[in-house]
């Protein structure tokens, strides 16, 4: 009897795993249909559409010129739902579907570095501690890893104070909310840096990140974002 139980235990674990999959079939993170992590129709919607957004903050506040942001997807429809599923519902099984878009944006941003200061460092913008605690992971870090690029283990950018949720704030309020909120590590000193975020909305986060890198002695050559909100003006390739 005991022997049977011992033999059965690993089997039970395996069968329970299968049973769990049957009871809660995987649904498409883009449309909710019972399917794989992402159905074929939704996968097509995540095809990379490379664009560059030129971010120019208020010249009075930010006289350092426009920042090139390489983006891959329009943040709407399937792209918005899949990223939301990853970030808010822990659907990390859908991450591979976003990896090509993130990789494309990173490679295009990195290519804007002339290499004279060595290869650029990837600097994910920091997430609020509340969000990290809620999710248990940092979406931008995971996106970078899945895209096959490498960011340093020790974050280059951190928050020196907690910030309010940016959602619902207008451009000026977002900038005020974030101004002075970030600090760069000493590792950026005399290095070229590519800022990385998941979604570009007003650009306030990237502007603050750039300020922190410059203060730390680094130079921001470009930024890379998985997606941009469609209301932003973009240039062609
Ligand atoms: Zn789908």
């Amino acid at each position: 009897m005991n022997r049977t139980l011992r033999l059965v235990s690993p089997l039970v674990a395996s069968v329970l795993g299968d049973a769990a999959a049957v009871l809660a079939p995987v649904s498409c993170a883009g449309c909710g249909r019972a399917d794989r992590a992402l159905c074929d129709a939704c996968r097509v919607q995540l095809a990379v559409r490379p664009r560059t957004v030129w971010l120019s903050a208020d010249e009075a506040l930010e006289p350092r010129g426009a920042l090139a942001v390489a983006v891959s997807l329009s943040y709407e429809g399937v792209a918005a739902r899949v990223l939301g599923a990853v970030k808010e519902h822990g659907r990390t099984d859908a991450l591979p579907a976003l990896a090509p878009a993130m990789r494309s944006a990173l490679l295009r941003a990195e290519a804007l570095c002339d290499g004279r200061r060595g290869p650029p460092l990837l600097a994910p913008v920091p997430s609020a501690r509340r969000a990290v605690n809620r999710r248990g992971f940092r979406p931008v870090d995971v996106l970078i890893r899945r895209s096959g690029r490498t960011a340093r283990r020790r974050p280059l950018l951190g928050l020196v104070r907690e910030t309010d949720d940016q959602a619902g704030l207008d451009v000026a309020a977002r900038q005020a909310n974030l101004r002075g909120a970030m600090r760069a590590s000493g590792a950026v000193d005399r290095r070229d840096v590519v800022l990385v975020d998941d979604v570009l909305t007003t650009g306030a986060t990237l502007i603050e990140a750039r300020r922190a890198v410059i203060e730390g002695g680094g130079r921001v050559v470009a930024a890379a974002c998985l997606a941009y909100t469609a209301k932003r003006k973009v240039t062609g390739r």
Side-chain angles (χ1 to χ4, degrees):
M1 184 65 179
N2 277 346
R3 186 173 170 196
T4 311
L5 272 178
R6 274 200 302 276
L7 284 171
V8 160
S9 293
L11 267 177
V12 167
S14 157
V15 167
L16 282 178
D18 290 343
V22 171
L23 290 171
V26 174
S27 62
C28 170
C31 66
R33 270 197 341 209
D35 203 311
R36 288 166 291 167
L38 199 76
C39 74
D40 290 340
C42 287
R43 195 173 297 274
V44 169
Q45 300 294 315
L46 296 181
V48 176
R49 284 164 35 204
R51 293 284 185 275
T52 302
V53 178
W54 291 93
L55 197 60
S56 69
D58 185 334
E59 290 296 317
L61 294 169
E62 183 57 51
R64 299 184 182 97
L67 173 66
V69 188
V71 296
S72 290
L73 300 170
S74 180
Y75 186 67
E76 60 189 352
V78 170
R81 287 196 294 274
V82 172
L83 185 58
V86 169
K87 289 171 71 171
E88 308 307 337
H89 303 289
R91 285 291 305 268
T92 49
D93 57 330
L95 273 167
L98 296 173
M102 191 73 242
R103 180 179 176 82
S104 168
L106 288 168
L107 291 176
R108 279 178 281 127
E110 290 174 72
L112 294 174
C113 174
D114 61 20
R116 276 183 285 182
R117 296 175 166 201
L121 303 174
L122 299 184
V125 299
S127 307
R129 196 173 300 127
R130 287 187 304 274
V132 176
N133 289 343
R134 189 177 72 241
R135 295 178 181 132
F137 66 102
R138 294 179 170 80
V140 181
D141 293 13
V142 178
L143 279 166
I144 293 172
R145 264 203 310 281
R146 286 296 184 127
S147 72
R149 309 306 293 161
T150 315
R152 294 196 168 194
R153 187 178 286 272
R154 286 176 68 90
L156 293 175
L157 287 169
L159 288 172
V160 293
R161 60 173 169 81
E162 283 295 293
T163 53
D164 293 332
D165 191 347
Q166 294 279 86
L169 300 180
D170 66 15
V171 179
R174 283 179 182 229
Q175 286 178 346
N177 181 35
L178 286 174
R179 196 168 302 126
M182 294 183 201
R183 185 177 296 155
S185 86
V188 305
D189 190 26
R190 283 168 289 179
R191 293 297 303 267
D192 282 346
V193 172
V194 167
L195 305 173
V196 191
D197 203 355
D198 51 3
V199 181
L200 171 64
T201 49
T202 66
T205 306
L206 292 177
I207 293 296
E208 166 58 15
R210 177 165 68 165
R211 186 206 59 75
V213 168
I214 292 170
E215 188 179 81
R219 182 172 65 170
V220 174
V221 292
C225 291
L226 175 74
Y228 66 100
T229 49
K231 62 190 169 206
R232 290 209 65 87
K233 274 189 277 184
V234 297
T235 66
R237 287 164 180 254

